[in-house]
Amino acid sequence: MGDSEESFLNTPMLDSFHAGDYSSWWKSYGEYGIVAAVVIGILIPLSCSTIFMGKKRGKQRGVPVEVGGEAGYAVRNARATELIEVPWKEATTMAALFEQSCKRYSQSQFLGTRKLINREFVTGSDGRKFEKLHLGDYEWLTYAEVFDRACNFASGLVQLGHNVDSRAAIFSETRAEWFIALQGCFRQNITVVTVYASLGEDALIHSLNETSVSTLICDAKQLKKLAAISSKVNSIENVIYFEDDESSVDTSFSGSMGSWKVASFSEVEGLGMKSPVQPSLPSKNGIAVVMYTSGSTGLPKGVMITHGNIVATCAGVMTVIPSLGAQDVYLAYLPLAHVFELAAESVMLAAGCKVGYGSALTLTDTSNKIKKGTKGDTSALKPTVMTAVPAILDRVRDGVLRKVEGGGGLVKNLFNFGYKRRLAAVEGSWFGAWGLEKMLWDVIVFNKIRSVLGGHIRFILGGGAPLSGDTQRFINICMGAPIGQAYGLTETFAGATFSEADDTTVGRVGPPLPCCYVKLVSWEEGGYKTSDKPLPRGEIVIGGHSVTAGYFKNEQKTNEVYKVDERGIRWFYSGDIGTFHPDGCLEIIDRKKDIVKLQHGEYISLGKVEAALLSSNYVDNLMLYADPFHNNCVALVVPVRQALEKWAREAGIRYNDFADLCEKSEAVNEVQQSFSKVGKDAKLDKFEIPAKIKLLPEPWTPESGLVTAALKIKREQLKTKFKNDLQKLYG
Ligand SMILES: *[C@@H]1O[C@H](CO)[C@@H](O)[C@H](O)[C@H]1NC(C)=O
Ligand SMILES: *[C@@H]1O[C@H](CO)[C@@H](O)[C@H](O)[C@H]1NC(C)=O
């Protein structure tokens, strides 16, 4: 999602996906599988599929629309002539939506949490200690119970002395109490400030101070960190902490919190239960959340999200997920301080689903923090719907492929054959997609893979960053579920476009949600115009009910990127470049700030060129750098160690260690030649191929701060860190 690309995923979890052991089951299915595969191959030749092709082709998902504001190419969702604003008539605010949903589904299970059975530490081979958890089954609160707890918390806040004209902040990992606290605040018309844990201390202080937060709601384990900054945030009066499963909470340092009043979440609920306070409900245009998101440089910006924005995105997304309802189970594990998760959980609330909480580190049976032999969150919950960001899906894919590779020839052939058959079926959307053959392949190959995510997933909400078409298709087939690719930003409360479940194409993000219009506006300078052939291209501008109120205390920045047109529609200028396909689906093709004008006047799109060069076998990661005072570009390259060493062995290059190899001119030449080759294939211009490159032996990891958790490069940080190298490359 555009600008908000913080590292909201812990990397340790990402590794959990390749820890499973598939080799044994594959062997057991092996012989039976091979026979079946041969039979299928003979009975149903692929050419059959052509007969059934084209069923879903040509469906119109978005249509051009006349709108006001700046001239451009605007599209609306094909199913709604008018923008929709609410999921149902009375749900005009998040507080109203919550109350009505809780009444409607009162006896259904709503929020589920796993109880901690046991916590232990094991010592790894390197002497480091790892925490391992044994977690129990999910324990559920009904919608009615959640409503009562939110009401109690709201009353408790007032009883505790929270000034309802001031703001509250939530600084915590994703959990049921997070959601309850949020709804409690809304019932007293209190604006909630959210801050990412990963933004760092300065960002935290800045956010809390800028919004004059007076009540801070946090994890018990954050207390210590907060005590350390207490002298820098003068507005805070109350601190409310969520209890951990352990009975003892360390409050020994509460003395250092100065004048802060510290209370536990259940104490506050207790206060409220004893002395209920009348709710003071918000209005549609009231600010529900100020969500801090990191800019690419400088301090984070607070996006002001109204109640109207949240219900509009809910209304839009509910039309996209097929028959979402009380039978669905949603796995919640991404950070709620990120717009994608908050939007998703709000949708589940509106649809009456069950929401089971998990965490990145306990997601699967083989996740880092799960005690061996006990269940991960997906096995315990068996979710039907989940969110995923590309980093996760990429790792799932890599993990599966590595296992297939490791399983030997038979396993590999079987998997590849099954995959090819399914691919042909999905892409041709032919008969086989639903038929006997699918069932067979599921039994032979895919069911076991699916059990990694619990075995019941029927829809994946994808977002956070662009997902490669390859991975999207791979997950489609292996998990047997469509991925609704969402495009949106914090500034549009996640809602902009969303690909539909029956859309079998990849690499696109679907038509506009019915709550907003999406318009392309020509960017002449950058060479993207709505008059471009065959498809219109331009900056993506989003207008409608999901477009937020602007940046907190930053009118200048707000006026730069938000505009209200003569018809009263609010537009947000995303800085992303897109193109519309004839069926009304959007594809993101570039970002404005990744485009540099070279000395002789040509534009170079860093992202586009990087994507092309990444297909060189030698490249693990790279950053292209173009100085506007030169006519060419240069690149920092992290090579794939195995590939480069293999080449060096074969070419008879002598070297001491990998760092030494990276310095060798032969190695540099070899990688550069591979760039020329892939550059040609991708039809890059000569000036787009780096004139000089530097090989860097150390991989870029999220811990080093050089890439996001989604492994996207952070240009500013890389430029700073390798300033000297870049200068030398241009020297
Ligand atoms: C907090 O905000 C005030 C203005 O509202 C500013 O003067 C002060 O420097 C800020 N403090 C910190 C630690 O950022
Ligand atoms: C809610 O609070 C805002 C200020 O935060 C205020 O402007 C608004 O009038 C309040 N709404 C209601 C319905 O009291």
Side-chain angles (χ1 to χ4, degrees), residues 69 96 107 145 187 192 244 357 409 477 502 559 582 593 633 675 689:
Q107 295 318 305
E145 285 164 342
R187 289 191 66 75
V192 173
D244 278 336
Y357 287 90
I477 290 176
D502 64 348
N559 292 338
K593 61 179 166 209
C633 59
F675 282 166
I689 312 252

Side-chain angles (χ1 to χ4, degrees), residues 520 536-540 576-580 586-590:
L520 300 179
R537 304 188 298 176
E539 178 178 2
I540 299 167
D576 291 327
I577 306 290
T579 185
F580 267 113
L586 183 70
E587 182 182 346
I588 315 290
I589 52 177
D590 215 331

